[in-house]
């Protein structure tokens, strides 16, 4: 009987219909976006034969998020988040339809493809903030850590299955058109599912769009040192400790394996993250969440160093798997802290800032890894990055006592957070 009760507790978030519908829609839309990303990458490279253009593909989708984060965050706080999500899912479907139309031409315009990718980046900017800000409206507070864990698990599943299915379709039909068709239909399915979501909407003041309100997320984070410490820790730790960008070099030059080995290396962090997310859904974290976050990021740095020094494929795979698992612990704690420590009327704008931190750490971290590898060599770059992550941990534990002292995740409340005295936000 206790085992049955534990199993039910591990799936507590799924007892809420709104959460179930949201996860269906989210799995579909993430899978569709990942399928599209595989297809458009292959298509662009086939057209131009220049690796630099693949960098532009990522840049075209990343820049709108940087430029629009004050507006996208404000929109998620001003309007009903389900409506914002539904509009974004429909926007994705339209973008995939445009890519399909371009693929039907005998000589697709690379400029037109980039224009559509910028449109996808705009949609993603609004979707990312609304998607994270709506989650606390779908489950009660006591089930929120469970919801975050399952939310991460389903996202990982979509990011693993989506590219694989998109690549299979592209290879089977020898072109991107069918992939875009399937992605478009999948996005339409996500849109239909989102219509049925019924979040618990609390009354929120509809603030006018001014410079003060759109940048209120930055102001709030600057004043709440627990949130600032949590998201900036991830920014600098991942920025320094990101080894994923150098996996092709490791596979070929250090581990002496082929494309199949590279595929295993790329999949290992995601597999570790997915396994850890499921484990945390069934066995929630207890005790002081801030210390757990610091230790998890420290483990990320240690496994980065082990990977950097390894010349054995098996050891490297285990290190990456554990790296992904430790990163997932920090992701779940940070996401839960950030959402529960933020009042509902501010979640969209705070989430928008958080997404910029995440995007910067991932995108710029890859650039940093490439530059340091060019300067110092591949192995020293990864090892130094892992050491840098450990230094950041020590500094953040000293600079942010609020983070070090944070208690149980479900006990975090926005109205209990202290505001640092004598500190003003950046104007």
């Amino acid at each position: 009987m206790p085992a049955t009760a534990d199993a039910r507790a591990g799936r507590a978030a799924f007892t809420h219909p709104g959460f179930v519908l949201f996860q269906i829609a989210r799995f579909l839309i993430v899978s569709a976006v990942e399928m599209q990303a595989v297809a458009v990458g292959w298509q662009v490279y086939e057209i131009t034969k220049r690796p630099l253009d693949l960098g532009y593909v990522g840049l075209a989708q990343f820049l709108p998020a940087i430029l629009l984060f004050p507006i996208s965050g404000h929109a998620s706080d001003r309007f009903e988040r389900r409506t914002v999500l539904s509009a974004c899912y429909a926007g994705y479907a339209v973008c995939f339809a445009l890519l399909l139309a371009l693929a039907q031409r005998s000589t697709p315009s690379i400029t037109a493809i980039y224009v559509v990718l910028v449109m996808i980046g705009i949609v993603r900017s609004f979707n990312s903030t609304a998607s994270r800000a709506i989650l606390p409206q779908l489950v009660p507070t006591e089930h929120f850590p469970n919801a975050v864990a399952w939310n991460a698990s389903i996202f990982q599943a979509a990011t693993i299955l989506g590219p694989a299915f998109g690549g299979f379709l592209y290879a089977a039909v020898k072109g991107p058109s069918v992939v875009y068709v399937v992605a478009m239909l999948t996005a339409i399915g996500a849109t239909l599912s989102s219509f049925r979501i019924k979040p618990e909407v609390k009354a929120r003041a509809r603030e006018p769009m001014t410079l003060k309100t759109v940048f209120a997320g930055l102001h709030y984070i600057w004043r709440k040192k627990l949130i600032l410490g949590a998201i900036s820790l991830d920014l600098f730790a991942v920025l320094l400790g990101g080894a994923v960008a150098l996996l092709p070099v490791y596979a070929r030059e250090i581990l002496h394996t082929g494309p199949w080995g590279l595929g295993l290396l790329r999949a290992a962090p995601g597999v570790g993250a997915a396994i850890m997310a499921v484990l945390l859904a069934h066995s929630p974290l207890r005790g002081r969440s801030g210390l757990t976050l610091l230790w998890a990021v420290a483990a990320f740095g240690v496994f980065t160093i082990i990977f950097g020094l390894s010349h054995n494929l098996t050891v490297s795979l285990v290190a990456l798997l554990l790296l992904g698992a430790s990163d997932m612990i920090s992701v779940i704690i940070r996401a839960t802290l950030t959402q529960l420590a933020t009042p509902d009327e501010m979640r969209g704008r705070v989430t928008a800032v958080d997404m910029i931190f995440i995007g910067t750490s991932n995108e710029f971290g890859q650039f940093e890894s490439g530059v340091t590898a060019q300067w110092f060599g591949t192995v020293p770059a990864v090892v130094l990055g892992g050491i840098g992550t450990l230094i950041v941990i020590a500094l953040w534990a000293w600079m942010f006592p609020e983070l070090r002292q944070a208690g149980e995740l479900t006990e975090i409340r926005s109205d209990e957070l202290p505001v640092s005295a004598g500190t003003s936000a950046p104007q």
Side-chain angles (χ1 to χ4, degrees):
M1 191 68 178
T4 304
D6 288 344
R8 284 199 298 267
R11 298 189 295 271
F14 290 100
T15 62
H16 306 282
F19 178 80
V20 175
L21 290 167
F22 172 67
Q23 292 305 323
I24 292 172
R26 189 165 181 264
F27 178 83
L28 291 174
I29 203 64
V30 173
S31 298
V33 171
E34 293 293 333
M35 283 189 279
Q36 164 266 318
V38 169
V40 82
W42 275 104
Q43 184 185 14
V44 167
Y45 189 69
E46 283 187 341
I47 294 171
T48 68
K49 300 294 190 297
R50 293 195 312 168
L52 179 62
D53 291 305
L54 296 178
Y56 292 149
V57 168
L59 189 65
Q61 297 175 80
F62 175 67
L63 278 182
I66 293 288
L67 299 176
L68 295 175
F69 83 90
I71 300 174
S72 62
H74 185 81
S76 291
D77 287 334
R78 181 175 174 84
F79 304 107
E80 186 180 348
R81 287 161 188 159
R82 183 191 63 176
T83 303
V84 176
L85 279 179
S86 300
C88 289
Y89 293 165
Y92 275 127
V94 171
C95 291
F96 300 155
L98 291 174
L99 287 174
L100 173 62
L102 292 174
Q104 297 301 305
R105 296 182 176 181
S106 55
T107 54
S109 166
I110 192 68
T111 302
I113 291 175
Y114 283 135
V115 170
V116 178
L117 292 177
V118 170
M119 293 171 60
I120 290 175
I122 294 171
V123 173
R124 188 173 71 171
S125 176
F126 286 87
N127 174 71
S128 297
T129 54
S131 182
R132 290 186 61 184
I134 199 175
L135 194 58
Q137 297 179 332
L138 303 177
V139 296
T141 300
E142 61 269 21
H143 293 162
F144 187 68
N146 183 258
V148 172
W150 281 114
N151 193 55
S153 301
I154 291 169
F155 176 82
Q156 288 292 336
T159 56
I160 292 170
L161 296 175
F165 188 57
F168 171 78
L169 284 178
Y170 198 108
V173 299
K174 296 181 174 57
S177 295
V178 172
V179 183
Y180 295 144
V181 170
V182 174
M184 179 183 66
L185 294 176
T186 306
I188 291 172
T191 306
L192 295 176
S193 181
S194 69
F195 289 152
R196 300 176 59 197
I197 299 173
K198 294 181 180 179
E200 180 186 338
V201 181
K202 299 178 182 178
R204 301 197 305 267
R206 291 179 175 259
E207 300 174 280
M209 185 176 289
T210 64
L211 282 178
K212 180 179 179 181
T213 58
V214 297
F215 286 101
L218 278 171
H219 180 82
Y220 185 83
I221 289 172
W222 187 260
R223 293 167 62 229
K224 304 296 185 179
K225 298 305 181 185
L226 173 61
I227 303 177
L228 177 62
I231 64 176
S232 59
L233 173 65
D234 177 80
L235 168 65
F236 288 102
V238 176
L239 183 66
L240 293 171
V244 175
L246 301 177
L247 287 183
V249 182
Y250 264 85
R252 184 181 180 91
E253 306 296 337
I254 298 171
L255 300 175
H256 305 292
T257 183
W260 66 273
L262 175 59
L264 291 177
L265 291 170
R266 284 196 174 277
V271 172
I275 292 172
M276 180 56 69
V278 173
L279 290 175
L280 292 180
H282 287 88
S283 300
L285 292 166
R286 304 294 183 190
R288 295 171 66 177
S289 56
L291 276 179
T292 305
L293 174 62
L294 291 168
W295 280 113
V297 180
F300 178 87
V302 169
F303 293 128
T304 297
I305 294 171
I306 293 173
F307 170 77
L309 295 173
S310 171
H311 285 70
N312 180 276
L313 179 59
T314 301
V315 174
S316 297
L317 287 172
V318 171
L320 287 174
L321 187 142
L322 294 174
L323 179 150
S326 57
D327 184 50
M328 179 52 63
I329 295 174
S330 68
V331 165
I332 290 175
I333 294 175
R334 190 186 70 250
T336 306
L337 281 176
T338 304
Q339 294 296 326
L340 293 185
T342 304
D344 186 63
E345 65 272 12
M346 288 290 301
R347 282 196 179 112
R349 283 164 287 182
V350 169
T351 297
V353 178
D354 190 19
M355 295 305 296
I356 294 302
F357 275 61
I358 294 171
T360 300
S361 64
N362 290 333
E363 304 289 339
F364 194 72
Q366 294 183 16
F367 174 73
E368 179 271 338
S369 295
V371 171
T372 53
Q374 183 70 30
W375 288 348
F376 306 117
T378 302
V379 172
V382 174
V383 173
L384 288 173
I387 294 172
T389 297
L390 297 179
I391 294 173
V392 166
I393 292 295
L395 287 174
W396 258 241
W398 172 66
M399 292 169 55
F400 295 96
E402 298 90 347
L403 179 62
R404 193 175 64 246
Q405 297 162 7
E408 288 271 0
L409 285 174
T410 54
E411 294 175 358
I412 302 294
R413 296 290 185 277
S414 61
D415 55 355
E416 296 174 356
L417 288 182
V419 178
S420 297
T423 305
S424 59
Q427 299 299 314

